[in-house]
């Protein structure tokens, strides 16, 4: 890593450059302290910044600007499992390397991440404050609590006056809705579904729904964000409506404009409502962020999600968008497993997603996956039970196990089965169900092959050269997960442990010819977005061109 104005340190001891021109207990006082280095900034301030960077998943981009290598960025992700969030790691490491506050302020400006700029504003040279002028939401304030004035980022409601007061008394900046997980039972999650269904059986009349803390966004803002729902902004179409790309509150978003008509079925209403409530309550890195809803024009109701520039895993496997190499497939498998493990290990009663398939796995700019489509999510069995009976089965038939489809026995092992099939698809890119195959179901077909060599003949050639260890692990694990008897399937915790296997991390082969970008001018690409460094020879950095190449 080269830091320009920040010399790199050898060893861990930090020199304490005498950079403060004056000493002051309050950054807002007239004798304002000038904090030159990041490690001089109070912990609570850095923690606050890190919380936001984690919640908005902006830290990889920032790390890219800081010129951390991709191996380092990957390590932050892994290390963060034991050492707090990845953004904390990024900031800590940058501080150890004598990163300056001014530089980070400029990076945040390049990212148009005004909320972050506001957080550290009082610790940078005031000559840089002009950079904040593009932020209409910011106010020049002095105290720590006051810095929260600017509008909270999408998906985070700002602390109420009382909350802020308490936080200040404790000397803490507590972020509502950040990475904290509030666990609720499904009964709490769906408190009024009965009355909703009863009252509004034939229409999406959201006005009657208690939306809890979900942000309500004026329709006009979304019209502006999508240039009047411009056709060119369409990302895709699904059963529930058209998805547009938009730019709202300095953030890329995906806006699902719901099809609303008198003929919408009761089931559709229920699914949309379930999705809203689950996403509101389950905030986690590998679960798609719901930023808000627009209901002031009920006939054009919209749901606003985090934009996922990598598209869906389905598109990748069907070659509608560039295929993934083996390292990228590993990232997708791990993230998906992490998201499912989160749902399955919620204290009290687990949640079962119920519709795991590549179309519902969306990829962010780093190809980190997030689970979407929570319309069929259900409460699983209580912790002392192995399953519970449901009256109806929903979902995509070929991804569901027999005990669920035939006997209506629901458990987290339903998701495990579907995930197993996704692993087999990622390994082979074969169809999950193929009429033309001697054995139609993919898991049964692969199981019927006599040995590893026969299986390896089905290794997806679009994954690039190499990648055999990944293929073998995906197949072996995919077959275990999709076992007929649910007792033979591992649970998500074990699956995650297997996927974190070093052998997969060291899988540097598999770069796809045709998607390499060596453009030295492409700062973003080479900085953070789509570059993948070869972990065996750290000097070689290869970059894969994404469709949204800037
Ligand atoms: N958050 C998002 N970011 C980027 N693209 C998205 C996002 N959500 C959806 N899309 C795109 O829009 C398409 C349609 O999404 P949508 O969720 O409406 O449909 P689906 O999941 O394919 O179908 P259904 O909802 O009927 O199961 C997706 O295939 C994907 O390409």
């Amino acid at each position: 890593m080269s830091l320009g104005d920040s010399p790199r340190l050898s060893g861990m001891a930090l020199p304490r450059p005498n950079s403060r021109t004056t000493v002051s207990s309050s950054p807002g006082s007239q004798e304002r302290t000038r904090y030159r280095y990041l490690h001089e900034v109070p912990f609570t301030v850095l923690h606050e910044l890190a919380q936001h960077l984690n919640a908005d998943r902006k830290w990889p981009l920032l790390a890219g600007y800081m010129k951390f290598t991709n191996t380092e960025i990957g390590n932050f992700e892994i290390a963060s499992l034991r050492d707090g969030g990845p953004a904390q790691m990024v900031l800590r490491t940058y501080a150890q390397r004598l990163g300056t506050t001014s530089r980070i302020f400029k990076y945040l400006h390049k990212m148009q991440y005004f909320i972050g700029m506001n957080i550290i504003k009082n610790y940078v040279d005031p000559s840089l404050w002009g950079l904040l002028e593009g932020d209409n939401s910011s106010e020049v304030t002095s105290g720590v609590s006051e810095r929260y004035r600017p509008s909270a980022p999408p998906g985070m409601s700002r602390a109420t006056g009382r909350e802020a007061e308490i936080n200040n008394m404790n000397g803490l900046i507590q972020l509502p809705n950040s990475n904290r997980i509030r666990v609720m039972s499904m009964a709490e999650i769906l408190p009024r579904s009965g009355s909703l269904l009863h009252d509004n059986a034939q229409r999406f009349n959201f006005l009657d729904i208690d939306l809890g803390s979900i942000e309500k966004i004026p329709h006009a803002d979304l019209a502006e964000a999508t240039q009047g729902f411009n056709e060119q902004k369409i990302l895709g179409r699904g059963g529930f409506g058209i998805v547009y790309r938009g730019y709202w509150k300095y953030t890329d978003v995906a806006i699902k404009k719901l099809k609303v008509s008198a003929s919408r079925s009761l089931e559709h209403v229920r699914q949309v409502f379930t999705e809203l409530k689950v996403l509101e309550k389950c905030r986690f890195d590998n679960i798609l962020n719901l930023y808000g809803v627009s209901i002031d024009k009920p006939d054009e109701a919209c749901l606003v999600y985090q934009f996922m520039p990598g598209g869906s895993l389905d598109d990748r496997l069907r070659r509608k968008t560039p295929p993934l190499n083996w390292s990228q497939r590993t990232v997708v498998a791990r993230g998906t497993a992490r998201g499912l493990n989160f749902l399955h290990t919620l204290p009290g009663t687990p949640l079962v997603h119920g519709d795991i398939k590549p179309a519902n796995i969306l990829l962010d700019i780093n190809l980190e996956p997030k689970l979407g489509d929570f319309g069929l999510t259900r409460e699983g069995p209580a912790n002392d039970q192995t399953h519970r009976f449901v009256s109806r089965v929903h979902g995509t038939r070929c991804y569901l196990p027999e005990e669920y489809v035939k006997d209506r026995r629901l458990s987290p092992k339903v998701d495990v089965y579907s995930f197993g099939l996704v692993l087999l698809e990622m390994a082979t890119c074969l169809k999950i169900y193929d009429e033309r195959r001697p054995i139609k179901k993919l898991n049964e077909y692969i199981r019927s092959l006599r040995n590893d060599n026969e299986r390896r003949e089905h290794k997806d050639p679009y994954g690039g050269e190499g990648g055999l260890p990944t293929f073998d692990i995906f197949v072996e694990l995919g077959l275990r997960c999709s076992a007929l008897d649910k007792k033979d399937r591992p649970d998500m915790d074990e699956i995650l442990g297997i996927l974190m296997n070093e052998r997969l991390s060291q899988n540097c082969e598999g770069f796809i010819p045709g998607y390499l970008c060596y453009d030295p001018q492409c700062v973003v690409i080479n900085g953070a977005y789509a570059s993948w460094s070869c972990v065996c020879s750290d000097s070689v950095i290869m970059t894969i061109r994404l469709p949204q190449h800037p």
Side-chain angles (χ1 to χ4, degrees), residues 235-241 243 254 256 288 305-308 312 315 357 359-360 362 373:
L235 287 169
R237 295 166 200 267
F240 287 91
V243 183
K256 193 183 280 189
L288 189 63
Y305 299 96
Q306 175 181 9
F307 171 61
M308 300 294 281
S312 73
D315 289 347
K357 57 181 178 180
N360 289 337
L362 293 158
D373 227 335

Side-chain angles (χ1 to χ4, degrees), residues 344-350 380-386:
H344 293 181
T345 54
L346 287 171
T349 317
N383 272 344
D384 55 342
Q385 311 272 306
T386 57

Side-chain angles (χ1 to χ4, degrees), residues 67-94:
K67 296 196 175 61
F68 285 107
T69 65
N70 292 287
T71 310
E72 286 172 306
I73 294 175
N75 288 342
F76 291 139
E77 181 88 272
I78 295 166
S80 72
L81 295 174
R82 36 167 218 275
D83 290 339
Q88 277 86 348
M89 294 287 295
V90 170
L91 295 179
R92 202 178 305 147
T93 312
Y94 193 61

